[in-house]
Amino acid sequence: MARKPIIRIIGSLNIDFVTLTPRVPGPGETLEAKSMTVHAGGKGSNQAVACGKAAYTSPTEQDVQVEMLGAVGAGDPYYASLLKPTLTKSGVDTRYVEEVEGVQTGTATIIVDEGSNGENRILFVPGANHHVDDLDKIISTTTQDGVPDVIVMQGEIPKPTVLGLLSTFNSDRHKTCVVFNPAPMFDTIPLSALKDLAVLVVNETECLLLFKAVQELRDIETPSEENLTPHLDRLTSHLHDLASISIVVVTLGSRGLYYSVASKPTRQQARGLIPAAKVAKVVDTTGAGDTFVGYLSTALARHVSKQGSLEGFDVQEASLRANEAAAKCVQRSGAMESIPFGYEI
Ligand code: ATP
């Protein structure tokens, strides 16, 4: 039997402690809050869950193998009782999650201020995520059992690891496609790190950093976050030209998304704007971006495993489906829980 396409997510795993409060306490003040709930989280594991769920073609069948590589604290009861079961239930293989002695699993303490439209304040403690730092070991683990068709990365593990993996796996040597979502945003995104990247996915905030990076080399105006769209053709032309990135996707929240593809031999560019799918009621947008990345990466893995390369990948079709999935996500509450299964789309 032919092997299934493989996606490996190399990224963070966190436990989220979410406190709802009527307002944020002042210095020295103790305030009675409304509730505290504990959730599985982390940008890496959210996107792993999105890939895992997207791969379900029916409630019992998954056509893509999804693997998480990262680190948690050894003996962490929240990993054992919450995070690992959530990943497993979503069809994610956790055998490459290392349990590191003497450190805590990463945490995010999220304060939701109900008095100001549910605005979040987040304290992130990287913990074991900082131990995803042995580049040689990660590269050998990722190449020894056959290189995955797609590698998905974000910005919540140490920056030298991310940059080292990008420069290793973006080269043609390794016959894999990297999907990079630099979230939560790096303070700068060096174009040199994106050289030959297969797929870059950014939201509006991260997109502004790309304008800044391009501005250092080319004459380009940086627009406001609200007025990005008319400037995206120019930005992406420069990105294809300066860094040879094959596909750039900018997610635009309730306005949908923009994509641009440059095919390598002809350098021909195809681009388009896809409006967000209409939803009856937006309940919670947390995880919408991760859902999009997961669905796009899963479609890409299916293509690469069949064709052997990115060439011919229908970005528009994959983005339309990812857009539908993300719209489903915003109509449900929670992060991982709200991500739909592939057979629901
Ligand atoms: P998050 O950090 O919350 O995961 P993000 O900032 O990375 O989100 P967004 O650009 O806000 O990502 O949204 C990702 C995708 O989700 C959009 O491209 C769109 O497809 C979908 N989406 C977001 N908001 C809405 C909405 N109000 N209605 C329909 N679809 C939406």
Side-chain angles (χ1 to χ4, degrees):
M1 210 173 67
R3 77 155 173 82
K4 283 184 186 176
I6 301 175
I7 302 180
R8 184 164 303 170
I9 295 88
I10 304 179
S12 60
L13 297 115
N14 292 335
I15 304 293
D16 292 348
F17 297 94
V18 183
T19 301
L20 298 190
T21 175
R23 65 178 171 82
V24 175
E29 184 188 8
T30 302
L31 182 72
E32 185 175 313
K34 195 165 141 191
S35 66
M36 198 285 281
T37 46
V38 185
H39 303 265
K43 209 72 197 160
S45 33
N46 275 349
Q47 291 184 7
V49 165
C51 292
K53 286 185 160 185
Y56 274 95
T57 52
S58 79
T60 53
E61 265 172 85
Q62 224 186 355
D63 68 349
V64 178
Q65 186 175 327
V66 179
E67 305 165 345
M68 176 81 212
L69 187 152
V72 294
D76 183 330
Y78 286 117
Y79 177 63
S81 65
L82 180 65
L83 190 43
K84 191 173 179 177
T86 306
L87 287 163
T88 308
K89 253 190 346 222
S90 310
V92 179
D93 181 341
T94 56
R95 95 183 93 146
Y96 300 106
V97 176
E98 193 182 344
E99 302 200 23
V100 185
E101 290 293 339
V103 291
Q104 284 181 326
T105 301
T107 60
T109 303
I110 303 169
I111 300 167
V112 183
D113 181 357
E114 293 198 306
S116 68
N117 280 332
E119 202 169 29
N120 286 352
R121 281 157 207 251
I122 302 176
L123 289 158
F124 170 52
V125 180
N129 293 308
H130 257 179
H131 290 254
V132 187
D133 59 354
D134 187 340
L135 197 55
D136 291 341
K137 190 169 146 197
I138 300 170
I139 293 170
S140 83
T141 312
T142 304
T143 49
Q144 73 197 4
D145 308 328
V147 185
D149 298 290
V150 170
I151 294 175
V152 183
M153 288 197 291
Q154 317 75 24
E156 263 182 4
I157 54 174
K159 196 167 178 174
T161 307
V162 174
L163 299 183
L165 291 172
L166 285 173
S167 81
T168 304
F169 289 112
N170 284 347
S171 70
D172 274 349
R173 205 158 42 97
H174 284 296
K175 301 277 169 253
T176 182
C177 286
V178 178
V179 176
F180 182 44
N181 174 222
M185 58 175 181
F186 282 34
D187 42 3
T188 55
I189 302 180
L191 287 188
S192 56
L194 305 177
K195 184 95 184 72
D196 294 324
L197 177 66
V199 184
L200 177 67
V201 182
V202 291
N203 67 10
E204 289 157 303
T205 317
E206 291 137 15
C207 186
L208 288 178
L209 296 177
L210 293 175
F211 275 100
K212 290 217 177 84
V214 168
Q215 221 168 31
E216 286 176 15
L217 300 161
R218 296 275 167 92
D219 182 22
I220 185 172
E221 183 191 333
T222 298
S224 67
E225 201 169 309
E226 298 70 44
N227 188 36
L228 280 181
T229 321
H231 300 261
L232 292 177
D233 288 352
R234 277 198 78 193
L235 173 76
T236 52
S237 295
H238 286 310
L239 290 173
H240 295 309
D241 189 31
L242 292 166
S244 295
I245 305 172
S246 299
I247 299 171
V248 182
V249 178
V250 183
T251 62
L252 302 164
S254 60
R255 286 179 291 135
L257 68 113
Y258 170 95
Y259 67 88
S260 175
V261 191
S263 88
K264 279 247 159 82
T266 57
R267 294 195 150 250
Q268 223 171 16
Q269 207 176 332
R271 49 200 176 201
L273 206 51
I274 298 178
K278 291 233 167 346
V279 301
K281 185 170 180 250
V282 177
V283 175
D284 178 2
T285 61
T286 318
D290 297 331
T291 302
F292 186 90
V293 171
Y295 271 75
L296 187 68
S297 305
T298 306
L300 181 63
R302 289 177 181 129
H303 174 87
V304 173
S305 124
K306 230 192 257 161
Q307 305 298 329
S309 80
L310 186 68
E311 271 324 296
F313 177 55
D314 191 338
V315 184
Q316 186 184 27
E317 189 190 299
S319 297
L320 275 167
R321 194 169 149 79
N323 189 46
E324 288 290 331
K328 198 142 205 141
C329 166
V330 304
Q331 296 176 74
R332 305 167 172 177
S333 68
M336 293 183 184
E337 314 85 296
S338 64
I339 300 171
F341 284 94
Y343 56 83
E344 294 178 76
I345 308 300

